mmCIF file with all atom_site columns, all heavy atoms in Angstrom:
data_model
loop_
_atom_site.group_PDB
_atom_site.id
_atom_site.type_symbol
_atom_site.label_atom_id
_atom_site.label_alt_id
_atom_site.label_comp_id
_atom_site.label_asym_id
_atom_site.label_entity_id
_atom_site.label_seq_id
_atom_site.pdbx_PDB_ins_code
_atom_site.Cartn_x
_atom_site.Cartn_y
_atom_site.Cartn_z
_atom_site.occupancy
_atom_site.B_iso_or_equiv
_atom_site.pdbx_formal_charge
_atom_site.auth_seq_id
_atom_site.auth_comp_id
_atom_site.auth_asym_id
_atom_site.auth_atom_id
_atom_site.pdbx_PDB_model_num
ATOM 1   N N   . TRP M 1 100 ? 115.560 112.206 84.858  1.00 0.00 ? 100 TRP M N   1
ATOM 2   C CA  . TRP M 1 100 ? 116.370 111.216 84.151  1.00 0.00 ? 100 TRP M CA  1
ATOM 3   C C   . TRP M 1 100 ? 115.552 110.524 83.067  1.00 0.00 ? 100 TRP M C   1
ATOM 4   O O   . TRP M 1 100 ? 116.060 110.252 81.969  1.00 0.00 ? 100 TRP M O   1
ATOM 5   C CB  . TRP M 1 100 ? 116.914 110.183 85.133  1.00 0.00 ? 100 TRP M CB  1
ATOM 6   C CG  . TRP M 1 100 ? 117.827 110.755 86.173  1.00 0.00 ? 100 TRP M CG  1
ATOM 7   C CD1 . TRP M 1 100 ? 118.595 111.888 86.068  1.00 0.00 ? 100 TRP M CD1 1
ATOM 8   C CD2 . TRP M 1 100 ? 118.073 110.223 87.479  1.00 0.00 ? 100 TRP M CD2 1
ATOM 9   N NE1 . TRP M 1 100 ? 119.301 112.088 87.222  1.00 0.00 ? 100 TRP M NE1 1
ATOM 10  C CE2 . TRP M 1 100 ? 119.011 111.084 88.112  1.00 0.00 ? 100 TRP M CE2 1
ATOM 11  C CE3 . TRP M 1 100 ? 117.622 109.108 88.190  1.00 0.00 ? 100 TRP M CE3 1
ATOM 12  C CZ2 . TRP M 1 100 ? 119.482 110.858 89.418  1.00 0.00 ? 100 TRP M CZ2 1
ATOM 13  C CZ3 . TRP M 1 100 ? 118.078 108.879 89.464  1.00 0.00 ? 100 TRP M CZ3 1
ATOM 14  C CH2 . TRP M 1 100 ? 118.999 109.750 90.072  1.00 0.00 ? 100 TRP M CH2 1
ATOM 15  N N   . ALA M 1 101 ? 114.294 110.217 83.372  1.00 0.00 ? 101 ALA M N   1
ATOM 16  C CA  . ALA M 1 101 ? 113.437 109.552 82.392  1.00 0.00 ? 101 ALA M CA  1
ATOM 17  C C   . ALA M 1 101 ? 113.238 110.432 81.158  1.00 0.00 ? 101 ALA M C   1
ATOM 18  O O   . ALA M 1 101 ? 113.334 109.964 80.018  1.00 0.00 ? 101 ALA M O   1
ATOM 19  C CB  . ALA M 1 101 ? 112.097 109.203 83.026  1.00 0.00 ? 101 ALA M CB  1
ATOM 20  N N   . GLN M 1 102 ? 112.966 111.705 81.381  1.00 0.00 ? 102 GLN M N   1
ATOM 21  C CA  . GLN M 1 102 ? 112.764 112.615 80.252  1.00 0.00 ? 102 GLN M CA  1
ATOM 22  C C   . GLN M 1 102 ? 114.038 112.721 79.404  1.00 0.00 ? 102 GLN M C   1
ATOM 23  O O   . GLN M 1 102 ? 113.990 112.678 78.173  1.00 0.00 ? 102 GLN M O   1
ATOM 24  C CB  . GLN M 1 102 ? 112.353 113.993 80.743  1.00 0.00 ? 102 GLN M CB  1
ATOM 25  C CG  . GLN M 1 102 ? 112.040 114.973 79.603  1.00 0.00 ? 102 GLN M CG  1
ATOM 26  C CD  . GLN M 1 102 ? 111.558 116.313 80.108  1.00 0.00 ? 102 GLN M CD  1
ATOM 27  O OE1 . GLN M 1 102 ? 111.610 116.604 81.305  1.00 0.00 ? 102 GLN M OE1 1
ATOM 28  N NE2 . GLN M 1 102 ? 111.074 117.148 79.198  1.00 0.00 ? 102 GLN M NE2 1
ATOM 29  N N   . LYS M 1 103 ? 115.172 112.825 80.073  1.00 0.00 ? 103 LYS M N   1
ATOM 30  C CA  . LYS M 1 103 ? 116.449 112.945 79.367  1.00 0.00 ? 103 LYS M CA  1
ATOM 31  C C   . LYS M 1 103 ? 116.724 111.727 78.498  1.00 0.00 ? 103 LYS M C   1
ATOM 32  O O   . LYS M 1 103 ? 117.258 111.849 77.379  1.00 0.00 ? 103 LYS M O   1
ATOM 33  C CB  . LYS M 1 103 ? 117.581 113.133 80.378  1.00 0.00 ? 103 LYS M CB  1
ATOM 34  C CG  . LYS M 1 103 ? 118.954 113.302 79.748  1.00 0.00 ? 103 LYS M CG  1
ATOM 35  C CD  . LYS M 1 103 ? 120.010 113.569 80.815  1.00 0.00 ? 103 LYS M CD  1
ATOM 36  C CE  . LYS M 1 103 ? 121.408 113.689 80.206  1.00 0.00 ? 103 LYS M CE  1
ATOM 37  N NZ  . LYS M 1 103 ? 122.432 113.965 81.255  1.00 0.00 ? 103 LYS M NZ  1
ATOM 38  N N   . HIS M 1 104 ? 116.343 110.548 78.974  1.00 0.00 ? 104 HIS M N   1
ATOM 39  C CA  . HIS M 1 104 ? 116.653 109.312 78.253  1.00 0.00 ? 104 HIS M CA  1
ATOM 40  C C   . HIS M 1 104 ? 115.432 108.729 77.536  1.00 0.00 ? 104 HIS M C   1
ATOM 41  O O   . HIS M 1 104 ? 115.428 107.549 77.164  1.00 0.00 ? 104 HIS M O   1
ATOM 42  C CB  . HIS M 1 104 ? 117.265 108.300 79.223  1.00 0.00 ? 104 HIS M CB  1
ATOM 43  C CG  . HIS M 1 104 ? 118.572 108.764 79.795  1.00 0.00 ? 104 HIS M CG  1
ATOM 44  N ND1 . HIS M 1 104 ? 119.734 108.753 79.079  1.00 0.00 ? 104 HIS M ND1 1
ATOM 45  C CD2 . HIS M 1 104 ? 118.880 109.306 81.009  1.00 0.00 ? 104 HIS M CD2 1
ATOM 46  C CE1 . HIS M 1 104 ? 120.727 109.236 79.815  1.00 0.00 ? 104 HIS M CE1 1
ATOM 47  N NE2 . HIS M 1 104 ? 120.229 109.576 80.998  1.00 0.00 ? 104 HIS M NE2 1
ATOM 48  N N   . LYS M 1 105 ? 114.407 109.566 77.386  1.00 0.00 ? 105 LYS M N   1
ATOM 49  C CA  . LYS M 1 105 ? 113.227 109.221 76.585  1.00 0.00 ? 105 LYS M CA  1
ATOM 50  C C   . LYS M 1 105 ? 112.499 107.981 77.107  1.00 0.00 ? 105 LYS M C   1
ATOM 51  O O   . LYS M 1 105 ? 112.070 107.109 76.344  1.00 0.00 ? 105 LYS M O   1
ATOM 52  C CB  . LYS M 1 105 ? 113.616 109.043 75.117  1.00 0.00 ? 105 LYS M CB  1
ATOM 53  C CG  . LYS M 1 105 ? 114.157 110.320 74.478  1.00 0.00 ? 105 LYS M CG  1
ATOM 54  C CD  . LYS M 1 105 ? 114.516 110.119 73.029  1.00 0.00 ? 105 LYS M CD  1
ATOM 55  C CE  . LYS M 1 105 ? 114.888 111.430 72.356  1.00 0.00 ? 105 LYS M CE  1
ATOM 56  N NZ  . LYS M 1 105 ? 115.995 112.164 73.017  1.00 0.00 ? 105 LYS M NZ  1
ATOM 57  N N   . LEU M 1 106 ? 112.356 107.930 78.415  1.00 0.00 ? 106 LEU M N   1
ATOM 58  C CA  . LEU M 1 106 ? 111.577 106.879 79.063  1.00 0.00 ? 106 LEU M CA  1
ATOM 59  C C   . LEU M 1 106 ? 110.326 107.476 79.681  1.00 0.00 ? 106 LEU M C   1
ATOM 60  O O   . LEU M 1 106 ? 110.294 108.662 80.043  1.00 0.00 ? 106 LEU M O   1
ATOM 61  C CB  . LEU M 1 106 ? 112.405 106.199 80.162  1.00 0.00 ? 106 LEU M CB  1
ATOM 62  C CG  . LEU M 1 106 ? 113.599 105.360 79.716  1.00 0.00 ? 106 LEU M CG  1
ATOM 63  C CD1 . LEU M 1 106 ? 114.468 105.012 80.924  1.00 0.00 ? 106 LEU M CD1 1
ATOM 64  C CD2 . LEU M 1 106 ? 113.153 104.091 79.001  1.00 0.00 ? 106 LEU M CD2 1
ATOM 65  N N   . LYS M 1 107 ? 109.306 106.671 79.831  1.00 0.00 ? 107 LYS M N   1
ATOM 66  C CA  . LYS M 1 107 ? 108.093 107.071 80.541  1.00 0.00 ? 107 LYS M CA  1
ATOM 67  C C   . LYS M 1 107 ? 108.113 106.486 81.949  1.00 0.00 ? 107 LYS M C   1
ATOM 68  O O   . LYS M 1 107 ? 108.742 105.453 82.194  1.00 0.00 ? 107 LYS M O   1
ATOM 69  C CB  . LYS M 1 107 ? 106.845 106.584 79.798  1.00 0.00 ? 107 LYS M CB  1
ATOM 70  C CG  . LYS M 1 107 ? 106.624 107.257 78.449  1.00 0.00 ? 107 LYS M CG  1
ATOM 71  C CD  . LYS M 1 107 ? 106.275 108.727 78.608  1.00 0.00 ? 107 LYS M CD  1
ATOM 72  C CE  . LYS M 1 107 ? 105.919 109.348 77.272  1.00 0.00 ? 107 LYS M CE  1
ATOM 73  N NZ  . LYS M 1 107 ? 105.584 110.785 77.414  1.00 0.00 ? 107 LYS M NZ  1
ATOM 74  N N   . VAL M 1 108 ? 107.387 107.139 82.866  1.00 0.00 ? 108 VAL M N   1
ATOM 75  C CA  . VAL M 1 108 ? 107.332 106.715 84.261  1.00 0.00 ? 108 VAL M CA  1
ATOM 76  C C   . VAL M 1 108 ? 105.904 106.328 84.634  1.00 0.00 ? 108 VAL M C   1
ATOM 77  O O   . VAL M 1 108 ? 104.962 107.103 84.406  1.00 0.00 ? 108 VAL M O   1
ATOM 78  C CB  . VAL M 1 108 ? 107.816 107.831 85.205  1.00 0.00 ? 108 VAL M CB  1
ATOM 79  C CG1 . VAL M 1 108 ? 107.630 107.415 86.673  1.00 0.00 ? 108 VAL M CG1 1
ATOM 80  C CG2 . VAL M 1 108 ? 109.279 108.169 84.929  1.00 0.00 ? 108 VAL M CG2 1
ATOM 81  N N   . LEU M 1 109 ? 105.763 105.134 85.186  1.00 0.00 ? 109 LEU M N   1
ATOM 82  C CA  . LEU M 1 109 ? 104.506 104.717 85.811  1.00 0.00 ? 109 LEU M CA  1
ATOM 83  C C   . LEU M 1 109 ? 104.726 104.744 87.315  1.00 0.00 ? 109 LEU M C   1
ATOM 84  O O   . LEU M 1 109 ? 105.513 103.952 87.849  1.00 0.00 ? 109 LEU M O   1
ATOM 85  C CB  . LEU M 1 109 ? 104.113 103.309 85.356  1.00 0.00 ? 109 LEU M CB  1
ATOM 86  C CG  . LEU M 1 109 ? 102.902 102.676 86.062  1.00 0.00 ? 109 LEU M CG  1
ATOM 87  C CD1 . LEU M 1 109 ? 101.650 103.525 85.880  1.00 0.00 ? 109 LEU M CD1 1
ATOM 88  C CD2 . LEU M 1 109 ? 102.671 101.250 85.570  1.00 0.00 ? 109 LEU M CD2 1
ATOM 89  N N   . ILE M 1 110 ? 104.079 105.678 87.993  1.00 0.00 ? 110 ILE M N   1
ATOM 90  C CA  . ILE M 1 110 ? 104.170 105.748 89.453  1.00 0.00 ? 110 ILE M CA  1
ATOM 91  C C   . ILE M 1 110 ? 103.246 104.685 90.036  1.00 0.00 ? 110 ILE M C   1
ATOM 92  O O   . ILE M 1 110 ? 102.070 104.595 89.684  1.00 0.00 ? 110 ILE M O   1
ATOM 93  C CB  . ILE M 1 110 ? 103.734 107.133 89.977  1.00 0.00 ? 110 ILE M CB  1
ATOM 94  C CG1 . ILE M 1 110 ? 104.557 108.246 89.343  1.00 0.00 ? 110 ILE M CG1 1
ATOM 95  C CG2 . ILE M 1 110 ? 103.853 107.188 91.498  1.00 0.00 ? 110 ILE M CG2 1
ATOM 96  C CD1 . ILE M 1 110 ? 104.030 109.646 89.670  1.00 0.00 ? 110 ILE M CD1 1
ATOM 97  N N   . ASP M 1 111 ? 103.792 103.887 90.930  1.00 0.00 ? 111 ASP M N   1
ATOM 98  C CA  . ASP M 1 111 ? 103.040 102.779 91.526  1.00 0.00 ? 111 ASP M CA  1
ATOM 99  C C   . ASP M 1 111 ? 102.981 102.983 93.034  1.00 0.00 ? 111 ASP M C   1
ATOM 100 O O   . ASP M 1 111 ? 103.999 102.890 93.713  1.00 0.00 ? 111 ASP M O   1
ATOM 101 C CB  . ASP M 1 111 ? 103.736 101.452 91.170  1.00 0.00 ? 111 ASP M CB  1
ATOM 102 C CG  . ASP M 1 111 ? 103.451 100.345 92.174  1.00 0.00 ? 111 ASP M CG  1
ATOM 103 O OD1 . ASP M 1 111 ? 102.288 100.196 92.570  1.00 0.00 ? 111 ASP M OD1 1
ATOM 104 O OD2 . ASP M 1 111 ? 104.403 99.634  92.558  1.00 0.00 ? 111 ASP M OD2 1
ATOM 105 N N   . LEU M 1 112 ? 101.797 103.275 93.570  1.00 0.00 ? 112 LEU M N   1
ATOM 106 C CA  . LEU M 1 112 ? 101.644 103.374 95.026  1.00 0.00 ? 112 LEU M CA  1
ATOM 107 C C   . LEU M 1 112 ? 101.712 101.964 95.590  1.00 0.00 ? 112 LEU M C   1
ATOM 108 O O   . LEU M 1 112 ? 100.789 101.170 95.451  1.00 0.00 ? 112 LEU M O   1
ATOM 109 C CB  . LEU M 1 112 ? 100.327 104.056 95.397  1.00 0.00 ? 112 LEU M CB  1
ATOM 110 C CG  . LEU M 1 112 ? 100.165 104.322 96.900  1.00 0.00 ? 112 LEU M CG  1
ATOM 111 C CD1 . LEU M 1 112 ? 101.271 105.236 97.433  1.00 0.00 ? 112 LEU M CD1 1
ATOM 112 C CD2 . LEU M 1 112 ? 98.802  104.914 97.211  1.00 0.00 ? 112 LEU M CD2 1
ATOM 113 N N   . HIS M 1 113 ? 102.821 101.656 96.230  1.00 0.00 ? 113 HIS M N   1
ATOM 114 C CA  . HIS M 1 113 ? 103.158 100.278 96.585  1.00 0.00 ? 113 HIS M CA  1
ATOM 115 C C   . HIS M 1 113 ? 102.767 99.914  98.014  1.00 0.00 ? 113 HIS M C   1
ATOM 116 O O   . HIS M 1 113 ? 102.644 98.736  98.337  1.00 0.00 ? 113 HIS M O   1
ATOM 117 C CB  . HIS M 1 113 ? 104.663 100.075 96.398  1.00 0.00 ? 113 HIS M CB  1
ATOM 118 C CG  . HIS M 1 113 ? 105.047 98.715  95.915  1.00 0.00 ? 113 HIS M CG  1
ATOM 119 N ND1 . HIS M 1 113 ? 104.784 98.270  94.634  1.00 0.00 ? 113 HIS M ND1 1
ATOM 120 C CD2 . HIS M 1 113 ? 105.691 97.683  96.521  1.00 0.00 ? 113 HIS M CD2 1
ATOM 121 C CE1 . HIS M 1 113 ? 105.244 97.047  94.477  1.00 0.00 ? 113 HIS M CE1 1
ATOM 122 N NE2 . HIS M 1 113 ? 105.795 96.655  95.616  1.00 0.00 ? 113 HIS M NE2 1
ATOM 123 N N   . THR M 1 114 ? 102.638 100.900 98.893  1.00 0.00 ? 114 THR M N   1
ATOM 124 C CA  . THR M 1 114 ? 102.281 100.618 100.290 1.00 0.00 ? 114 THR M CA  1
ATOM 125 C C   . THR M 1 114 ? 101.196 101.581 100.744 1.00 0.00 ? 114 THR M C   1
ATOM 126 O O   . THR M 1 114 ? 101.032 102.681 100.195 1.00 0.00 ? 114 THR M O   1
ATOM 127 C CB  . THR M 1 114 ? 103.493 100.765 101.234 1.00 0.00 ? 114 THR M CB  1
ATOM 128 O OG1 . THR M 1 114 ? 103.879 102.151 101.312 1.00 0.00 ? 114 THR M OG1 1
ATOM 129 C CG2 . THR M 1 114 ? 104.677 99.946  100.739 1.00 0.00 ? 114 THR M CG2 1
ATOM 130 N N   . VAL M 1 115 ? 100.464 101.164 101.759 1.00 0.00 ? 115 VAL M N   1
ATOM 131 C CA  . VAL M 1 115 ? 99.462  102.012 102.419 1.00 0.00 ? 115 VAL M CA  1
ATOM 132 C C   . VAL M 1 115 ? 99.542  101.756 103.918 1.00 0.00 ? 115 VAL M C   1
ATOM 133 O O   . VAL M 1 115 ? 100.004 100.699 104.342 1.00 0.00 ? 115 VAL M O   1
ATOM 134 C CB  . VAL M 1 115 ? 98.026  101.714 101.905 1.00 0.00 ? 115 VAL M CB  1
ATOM 135 C CG1 . VAL M 1 115 ? 97.856  102.148 100.466 1.00 0.00 ? 115 VAL M CG1 1
ATOM 136 C CG2 . VAL M 1 115 ? 97.673  100.245 102.077 1.00 0.00 ? 115 VAL M CG2 1
ATOM 137 N N   . PRO M 1 116 ? 99.127  102.709 104.756 1.00 0.00 ? 116 PRO M N   1
ATOM 138 C CA  . PRO M 1 116 ? 99.189  102.494 106.205 1.00 0.00 ? 116 PRO M CA  1
ATOM 139 C C   . PRO M 1 116 ? 98.277  101.345 106.633 1.00 0.00 ? 116 PRO M C   1
ATOM 140 O O   . PRO M 1 116 ? 97.107  101.311 106.289 1.00 0.00 ? 116 PRO M O   1
ATOM 141 C CB  . PRO M 1 116 ? 98.707  103.833 106.782 1.00 0.00 ? 116 PRO M CB  1
ATOM 142 C CG  . PRO M 1 116 ? 98.024  104.540 105.662 1.00 0.00 ? 116 PRO M CG  1
ATOM 143 C CD  . PRO M 1 116 ? 98.645  104.054 104.401 1.00 0.00 ? 116 PRO M CD  1
#
Side-chain angles (χ1 to χ4, degrees):
W100 298 334
Q102 184 177 10
K103 181 176 178 179
H104 297 285
K105 297 181 173 56
L106 292 168
K107 293 292 186 180
V108 175
L109 173 59
I110 303 172
D111 155 44
L112 186 60
H113 215 70
T114 68
V115 292

